[in-house]
Structures are given as C-alpha cells and as structure tokens.
C-alpha cells in the first residue's frame, strides 16, 4: 500500500473555493479506486497550505486510478473549477510507504 500526500499552495482568499474543490474530490476519489483519508484546509497559522491524502495499492493501481479520474465527469469538472477560479497556486504530489508497522 502506498500513501499519496498532495501539498497545495492555495490562494488564501479562495479558501471557500478550495473547500468546494476538496468536497468534490471526496466523492470522486473513492469511486475511482483510491482510499481517501481526507482533504485538509488551513485553520490556524498558514493560510496558504492545504493537503489531500489518500492510499492506493501500488503504482500500477495508481496509473489506472488516474485514468479513471480523467474520465470521470465530476473529476473533469473539478479540474476546470480549479483552473477557472485559480484556487491552487502550486501542487506537489509525493508517495510514501508505511514502515512503522511489522
């Protein structure tokens, strides 16, 4: 199992739009095959850093999942929302594996 952590730099004045974007992914990501842990928006401290976290079986499953995301109507609509509203300034995606359990 791998965990994908997406770090977003968001426009601090577009936090409501980011929350709509996150809620949409909350519906799309599970139906496309990943286990969504959640999307996290700023609360205290930074007003520009947000995270999306999900797990998926392996990188091969990730590639199939990405293809399903691109084909999903709400997924396409959500990407268009992000571009149109200029919610996200930067997005970094990293993959991790859990090593603390036996």
């Amino acid at each position: 199992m791998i965990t994908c952590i997406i770090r977003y730099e968001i426009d601090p004045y577009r936090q409501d739009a980011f929350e709509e974007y996150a809620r949409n992914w909350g519906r799309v990501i599970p139906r496309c095959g990943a286990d969504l842990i959640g999307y996290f928006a700023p609360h205290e401290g930074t007003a520009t850093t947000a995270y999306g976290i999900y797990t998926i079986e392996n990188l091969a499953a990730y590639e199939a999942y990405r293809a399903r995301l691109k084909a999903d109507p709400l997924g396409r609509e959500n990407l268009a929302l992000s571009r149109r509203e200029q919610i996200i300034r930067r997005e970094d995606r990293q993959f991790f594996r859990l090593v603390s359990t036996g």
Side-chain angles (χ1 to χ4, degrees):
M1 199 59 114
I2 57 175
T3 300
C4 179
I5 299 177
I6 308 167
R7 181 186 176 277
Y8 296 97
E9 180 183 328
I10 63 172
D11 182 328
Y13 301 105
R14 306 294 304 147
Q15 190 167 335
D16 288 345
F18 178 80
E19 290 177 14
E20 177 184 352
Y21 173 83
R23 282 190 299 275
N24 289 341
W25 284 133
R27 297 195 325 255
V28 174
I29 289 172
R31 76 172 171 232
C32 287
D35 241 347
L36 181 64
I37 294 169
Y39 269 76
F40 302 86
H43 178 68
E44 285 292 324
T46 182
T48 60
T49 303
Y51 292 92
I53 305 171
Y54 62 89
T55 60
I56 196 152
E57 186 178 350
N58 54 42
L59 289 175
Y62 172 75
E63 292 301 325
Y65 156 78
R66 293 288 291 176
R68 287 188 296 273
L69 277 181
K70 289 178 184 178
D72 187 275
L74 182 55
R76 287 194 311 268
E77 184 182 314
N78 210 32
L79 290 173
L81 167 73
S82 173
R83 289 185 196 109
R84 183 177 64 249
E85 299 295 323
Q86 299 182 348
I87 301 165
I88 298 167
R89 294 179 174 169
R90 181 183 167 131
E91 179 178 323
D92 296 310
R93 182 174 276 107
Q94 295 182 313
F95 297 89
F96 298 89
R97 59 188 172 84
L98 181 63
V99 296
S100 61
T101 60

